[in-house]
PDB file of all heavy atoms in Angstrom:
ATOM      1  N   GLN A  13      43.452 -73.827  56.531  1.00 61.00           N
ATOM      2  CA  GLN A  13      42.045 -74.200  56.409  1.00 61.00           C
ATOM      3  C   GLN A  13      41.485 -73.733  55.063  1.00 61.00           C
ATOM      4  O   GLN A  13      41.733 -72.603  54.632  1.00 61.00           O
ATOM      5  CB  GLN A  13      41.243 -73.542  57.549  1.00 61.00           C
ATOM      6  CG  GLN A  13      39.742 -73.711  57.454  1.00 61.00           C
ATOM      7  CD  GLN A  13      39.294 -75.093  57.879  1.00 61.00           C
ATOM      8  OE1 GLN A  13      39.984 -75.753  58.654  1.00 61.00           O
ATOM      9  NE2 GLN A  13      38.168 -75.539  57.386  1.00 61.00           N
ATOM     10  N   ASP A  18      29.948 -70.163  50.180  1.00 84.00           N
ATOM     11  CA  ASP A  18      29.683 -69.486  48.913  1.00 84.00           C
ATOM     12  C   ASP A  18      29.167 -68.071  49.163  1.00 84.00           C
ATOM     13  O   ASP A  18      28.808 -67.687  50.287  1.00 84.00           O
ATOM     14  CB  ASP A  18      28.728 -70.290  48.024  1.00 84.00           C
ATOM     15  CG  ASP A  18      27.376 -70.533  48.672  1.00 84.00           C
ATOM     16  OD1 ASP A  18      26.951 -69.695  49.482  1.00 84.00           O
ATOM     17  OD2 ASP A  18      26.743 -71.549  48.357  1.00 84.00           O
ATOM     18  N   GLU A  31      19.874 -55.696  58.989  1.00 90.00           N
ATOM     19  CA  GLU A  31      18.512 -55.496  59.492  1.00 90.00           C
ATOM     20  C   GLU A  31      18.392 -55.790  60.988  1.00 90.00           C
ATOM     21  O   GLU A  31      17.517 -55.246  61.661  1.00 90.00           O
ATOM     22  CB  GLU A  31      17.529 -56.398  58.720  1.00 90.00           C
ATOM     23  CG  GLU A  31      17.437 -56.131  57.230  1.00 90.00           C
ATOM     24  CD  GLU A  31      16.759 -54.807  56.912  1.00 90.00           C
ATOM     25  OE1 GLU A  31      16.086 -54.260  57.803  1.00 90.00           O
ATOM     26  OE2 GLU A  31      16.922 -54.330  55.776  1.00 90.00           O
ATOM     27  N   THR A  74      27.571 -60.802  67.270  1.00 94.00           N
ATOM     28  CA  THR A  74      28.706 -61.093  68.130  1.00 94.00           C
ATOM     29  C   THR A  74      29.920 -60.328  67.583  1.00 94.00           C
ATOM     30  O   THR A  74      29.852 -59.724  66.502  1.00 94.00           O
ATOM     31  CB  THR A  74      29.020 -62.595  68.144  1.00 94.00           C
ATOM     32  OG1 THR A  74      29.404 -62.984  66.810  1.00 94.00           O
ATOM     33  CG2 THR A  74      27.817 -63.411  68.592  1.00 94.00           C
ATOM     34  N   TRP A  75      31.043 -60.364  68.306  1.00 95.00           N
ATOM     35  CA  TRP A  75      32.243 -59.710  67.791  1.00 95.00           C
ATOM     36  C   TRP A  75      32.670 -60.325  66.455  1.00 95.00           C
ATOM     37  O   TRP A  75      33.029 -59.631  65.504  1.00 95.00           O
ATOM     38  CB  TRP A  75      33.366 -59.790  68.822  1.00 95.00           C
ATOM     39  CG  TRP A  75      34.656 -59.184  68.337  1.00 95.00           C
ATOM     40  CD1 TRP A  75      35.802 -59.822  68.029  1.00 95.00           C
ATOM     41  CD2 TRP A  75      34.895 -57.792  68.081  1.00 95.00           C
ATOM     42  NE1 TRP A  75      36.757 -58.938  67.601  1.00 95.00           N
ATOM     43  CE2 TRP A  75      36.229 -57.666  67.626  1.00 95.00           C
ATOM     44  CE3 TRP A  75      34.107 -56.640  68.199  1.00 95.00           C
ATOM     45  CZ2 TRP A  75      36.788 -56.453  67.285  1.00 95.00           C
ATOM     46  CZ3 TRP A  75      34.675 -55.423  67.865  1.00 95.00           C
ATOM     47  CH2 TRP A  75      36.004 -55.337  67.409  1.00 95.00           C
ATOM     48  N   LYS A  78      30.422 -58.979  63.769  1.00 93.00           N
ATOM     49  CA  LYS A  78      30.749 -57.615  63.341  1.00 93.00           C
ATOM     50  C   LYS A  78      31.914 -57.623  62.340  1.00 93.00           C
ATOM     51  O   LYS A  78      31.903 -56.887  61.346  1.00 93.00           O
ATOM     52  CB  LYS A  78      31.102 -56.762  64.556  1.00 93.00           C
ATOM     53  CG  LYS A  78      29.902 -56.460  65.464  1.00 93.00           C
ATOM     54  CD  LYS A  78      30.339 -55.650  66.682  1.00 93.00           C
ATOM     55  CE  LYS A  78      29.145 -55.365  67.591  1.00 93.00           C
ATOM     56  NZ  LYS A  78      29.528 -54.614  68.810  1.00 93.00           N
ATOM     57  N   LEU A  95      33.038 -59.570  38.472  1.00 77.00           N
ATOM     58  CA  LEU A  95      32.091 -60.117  37.499  1.00 77.00           C
ATOM     59  C   LEU A  95      31.723 -59.076  36.449  1.00 77.00           C
ATOM     60  O   LEU A  95      31.570 -59.408  35.268  1.00 77.00           O
ATOM     61  CB  LEU A  95      30.840 -60.621  38.228  1.00 77.00           C
ATOM     62  CG  LEU A  95      31.066 -61.830  39.138  1.00 77.00           C
ATOM     63  CD1 LEU A  95      29.801 -62.150  39.944  1.00 77.00           C
ATOM     64  CD2 LEU A  95      31.490 -63.055  38.340  1.00 77.00           C
ATOM     65  N   ALA A  96      31.574 -57.827  36.877  1.00 68.00           N
ATOM     66  CA  ALA A  96      31.300 -56.757  35.914  1.00 68.00           C
ATOM     67  C   ALA A  96      32.456 -56.611  34.934  1.00 68.00           C
ATOM     68  O   ALA A  96      32.254 -56.358  33.741  1.00 68.00           O
ATOM     69  CB  ALA A  96      31.046 -55.446  36.651  1.00 68.00           C
ATOM     70  N   ALA A 125      45.102 -43.683  15.046  1.00 89.00           N
ATOM     71  CA  ALA A 125      44.116 -44.755  15.193  1.00 89.00           C
ATOM     72  C   ALA A 125      44.221 -45.407  16.566  1.00 89.00           C
ATOM     73  O   ALA A 125      43.204 -45.681  17.222  1.00 89.00           O
ATOM     74  CB  ALA A 125      44.310 -45.800  14.093  1.00 89.00           C
ATOM     75  N   HIS A 139      49.219 -53.660  26.514  1.00 91.00           N
ATOM     76  CA  HIS A 139      50.614 -53.813  26.912  1.00 91.00           C
ATOM     77  C   HIS A 139      51.446 -53.917  25.640  1.00 91.00           C
ATOM     78  O   HIS A 139      51.426 -54.926  24.941  1.00 91.00           O
ATOM     79  CB  HIS A 139      50.778 -55.066  27.774  1.00 91.00           C
ATOM     80  CG  HIS A 139      52.161 -55.249  28.298  1.00 91.00           C
ATOM     81  ND1 HIS A 139      52.646 -56.462  28.720  1.00 91.00           N
ATOM     82  CD2 HIS A 139      53.174 -54.366  28.469  1.00 91.00           C
ATOM     83  CE1 HIS A 139      53.896 -56.316  29.121  1.00 91.00           C
ATOM     84  NE2 HIS A 139      54.237 -55.060  28.973  1.00 91.00           N
ATOM     85  N   ARG A 163      56.005 -54.999   9.569  1.00 87.00           N
ATOM     86  CA  ARG A 163      55.918 -54.671   8.150  1.00 87.00           C
ATOM     87  C   ARG A 163      56.034 -55.925   7.278  1.00 87.00           C
ATOM     88  O   ARG A 163      56.740 -56.859   7.613  1.00 87.00           O
ATOM     89  CB  ARG A 163      57.023 -53.666   7.773  1.00 87.00           C
ATOM     90  CG  ARG A 163      56.901 -52.380   8.565  1.00 87.00           C
ATOM     91  CD  ARG A 163      57.892 -51.321   8.099  1.00 87.00           C
ATOM     92  NE  ARG A 163      57.875 -50.212   9.037  1.00 87.00           N
ATOM     93  CZ  ARG A 163      56.955 -49.249   9.050  1.00 87.00           C
ATOM     94  NH1 ARG A 163      55.985 -49.276   8.146  1.00 87.00           N
ATOM     95  NH2 ARG A 163      56.994 -48.282   9.940  1.00 87.00           N
ATOM     96  N   ALA A 180      53.095 -48.180   2.905  1.00 89.00           N
ATOM     97  CA  ALA A 180      54.223 -47.330   3.277  1.00 89.00           C
ATOM     98  C   ALA A 180      55.417 -47.765   2.440  1.00 89.00           C
ATOM     99  O   ALA A 180      55.376 -48.778   1.742  1.00 89.00           O
ATOM    100  CB  ALA A 180      54.526 -47.441   4.772  1.00 89.00           C
ATOM    101  N   ALA A 181      56.491 -46.999   2.519  1.00 92.00           N
ATOM    102  CA  ALA A 181      57.711 -47.326   1.773  1.00 92.00           C
ATOM    103  C   ALA A 181      58.914 -46.917   2.607  1.00 92.00           C
ATOM    104  O   ALA A 181      58.836 -46.028   3.463  1.00 92.00           O
ATOM    105  CB  ALA A 181      57.727 -46.621   0.429  1.00 92.00           C
ATOM    106  N   PHE A 182      60.037 -47.585   2.349  1.00 93.00           N
ATOM    107  CA  PHE A 182      61.288 -47.195   2.980  1.00 93.00           C
ATOM    108  C   PHE A 182      61.937 -46.079   2.163  1.00 93.00           C
ATOM    109  O   PHE A 182      61.921 -46.099   0.926  1.00 93.00           O
ATOM    110  CB  PHE A 182      62.238 -48.388   3.072  1.00 93.00           C
ATOM    111  CG  PHE A 182      61.849 -49.377   4.134  1.00 93.00           C
ATOM    112  CD1 PHE A 182      61.206 -50.557   3.801  1.00 93.00           C
ATOM    113  CD2 PHE A 182      62.117 -49.120   5.471  1.00 93.00           C
ATOM    114  CE1 PHE A 182      60.838 -51.472   4.777  1.00 93.00           C
ATOM    115  CE2 PHE A 182      61.758 -50.026   6.459  1.00 93.00           C
ATOM    116  CZ  PHE A 182      61.114 -51.197   6.111  1.00 93.00           C
ATOM    117  N   ALA A 202      73.204 -47.502  -5.547  1.00 95.00           N
ATOM    118  CA  ALA A 202      74.064 -46.358  -5.246  1.00 95.00           C
ATOM    119  C   ALA A 202      74.490 -46.326  -3.782  1.00 95.00           C
ATOM    120  O   ALA A 202      75.384 -45.565  -3.409  1.00 95.00           O
ATOM    121  CB  ALA A 202      73.349 -45.053  -5.608  1.00 95.00           C
ATOM    122  N   SER A 216      63.820 -54.399  14.946  1.00 65.00           N
ATOM    123  CA  SER A 216      63.441 -53.486  13.873  1.00 65.00           C
ATOM    124  C   SER A 216      63.245 -54.238  12.565  1.00 65.00           C
ATOM    125  O   SER A 216      63.176 -55.466  12.525  1.00 65.00           O
ATOM    126  CB  SER A 216      64.522 -52.410  13.706  1.00 65.00           C
ATOM    127  OG  SER A 216      65.698 -52.986  13.164  1.00 65.00           O
ATOM    128  N   ALA A 238      72.148 -48.127  16.957  1.00 89.00           N
ATOM    129  CA  ALA A 238      71.592 -47.384  18.084  1.00 89.00           C
ATOM    130  C   ALA A 238      70.234 -47.979  18.420  1.00 89.00           C
ATOM    131  O   ALA A 238      69.530 -48.502  17.541  1.00 89.00           O
ATOM    132  CB  ALA A 238      71.459 -45.904  17.754  1.00 89.00           C
ATOM    133  N   ARG A 272      64.984 -39.181   0.983  1.00 96.00           N
ATOM    134  CA  ARG A 272      64.790 -39.298  -0.452  1.00 96.00           C
ATOM    135  C   ARG A 272      64.204 -40.678  -0.766  1.00 96.00           C
ATOM    136  O   ARG A 272      64.615 -41.693  -0.181  1.00 96.00           O
ATOM    137  CB  ARG A 272      66.124 -39.132  -1.199  1.00 96.00           C
ATOM    138  CG  ARG A 272      66.719 -37.735  -1.086  1.00 96.00           C
ATOM    139  CD  ARG A 272      65.899 -36.717  -1.868  1.00 96.00           C
ATOM    140  NE  ARG A 272      66.477 -35.371  -1.775  1.00 96.00           N
ATOM    141  CZ  ARG A 272      66.099 -34.460  -0.873  1.00 96.00           C
ATOM    142  NH1 ARG A 272      65.161 -34.751   0.007  1.00 96.00           N
ATOM    143  NH2 ARG A 272      66.658 -33.263  -0.878  1.00 96.00           N
ATOM    144  N   VAL A 285      48.733 -58.755  12.744  1.00 96.00           N
ATOM    145  CA  VAL A 285      48.672 -60.216  12.627  1.00 96.00           C
ATOM    146  C   VAL A 285      48.053 -60.786  13.896  1.00 96.00           C
ATOM    147  O   VAL A 285      48.401 -60.379  15.009  1.00 96.00           O
ATOM    148  CB  VAL A 285      50.087 -60.809  12.427  1.00 96.00           C
ATOM    149  CG1 VAL A 285      50.017 -62.324  12.306  1.00 96.00           C
ATOM    150  CG2 VAL A 285      50.744 -60.200  11.190  1.00 96.00           C
ATOM    151  N   TYR A 286      47.119 -61.724  13.728  1.00 96.00           N
ATOM    152  CA  TYR A 286      46.477 -62.348  14.882  1.00 96.00           C
ATOM    153  C   TYR A 286      45.937 -63.713  14.467  1.00 96.00           C
ATOM    154  O   TYR A 286      45.968 -64.079  13.285  1.00 96.00           O
ATOM    155  CB  TYR A 286      45.353 -61.458  15.423  1.00 96.00           C
ATOM    156  CG  TYR A 286      44.180 -61.297  14.482  1.00 96.00           C
ATOM    157  CD1 TYR A 286      43.018 -62.042  14.642  1.00 96.00           C
ATOM    158  CD2 TYR A 286      44.255 -60.417  13.394  1.00 96.00           C
ATOM    159  CE1 TYR A 286      41.949 -61.902  13.767  1.00 96.00           C
ATOM    160  CE2 TYR A 286      43.200 -60.279  12.516  1.00 96.00           C
ATOM    161  CZ  TYR A 286      42.040 -61.018  12.715  1.00 96.00           C
ATOM    162  OH  TYR A 286      41.002 -60.893  11.831  1.00 96.00           O
TER     163      TYR A 286
END
Side-chain angles (χ1 to χ4, degrees):
Q13 173 77 25
D18 60 29
E31 298 290 343
T74 63
W75 178 249
K78 290 178 181 178
L95 293 173
H139 184 201
R163 300 186 189 280
F182 286 102
S216 70
R272 294 290 181 266
V285 180
Y286 66 100

